[in-house]
Amino acid sequence: MTLAAQKTYMANAENVEHACYLIDAKDKILGRIATKAATILRGKHKPTYTPHVDTGDMVVIINAEKIKVTGNKLQQKEYQRYSGYHGGQKIMTLEEMLKRAPTQVLYLAITRMIPSGPLGNKIKTKLRIYE
């Protein structure tokens, strides 16, 4: 068979099978969990991965407050938000964020690895994080 005769497989939304993955975040490193979850959500772990189709699976993460980070990230890593008003910039360290909203830390790490747009928004709905 010549190279010209081979067809490339492109997944359709109709013939994609979705599964559900459970990840226990207890004593695991934040970035490692985030990359694994983002890969599963996108569907890149499957041989049928197609960039413009949602081929990913659902991800449920438990024990989000028990994640670990390496180095001095607890004191040095910062999360910024801005309200749009003068003096409306809020800065939190990772340590404060873990105390206030531990699920938000994982959510931000994972969703920032997923492309923005209509497909990315659909993919982000398949993520569940629990303390």
Side-chain angles (χ1 to χ4, degrees), residues 37-82:
T39 303
I40 293 169
L41 285 168
R42 259 333 278 278
K44 288 189 164 192
H45 64 293
K46 295 182 178 181
T48 58
Y49 169 71
T50 307
H52 64 278
V53 178
D54 179 15
T55 57
D57 298 325
M58 184 175 179
V59 175
V60 178
I61 299 175
I62 57 173
N63 293 322
E65 78 276 358
K66 297 176 183 168
I67 59 167
K68 301 286 183 219
V69 289
T70 58
N72 295 323
K73 291 186 191 83
L74 279 175
Q75 292 81 27
Q76 291 179 351
K77 184 169 177 57
E78 294 180 338
Y79 292 92
Q80 296 183 20
R81 346 179 237 136
Y82 181 57

Side-chain angles (χ1 to χ4, degrees), residues 80-91:
Q80 296 183 20
R81 346 179 237 136
Y82 181 57
S83 67
Y85 290 96
H86 293 293
Q89 185 178 22
K90 305 273 194 269
I91 299 175

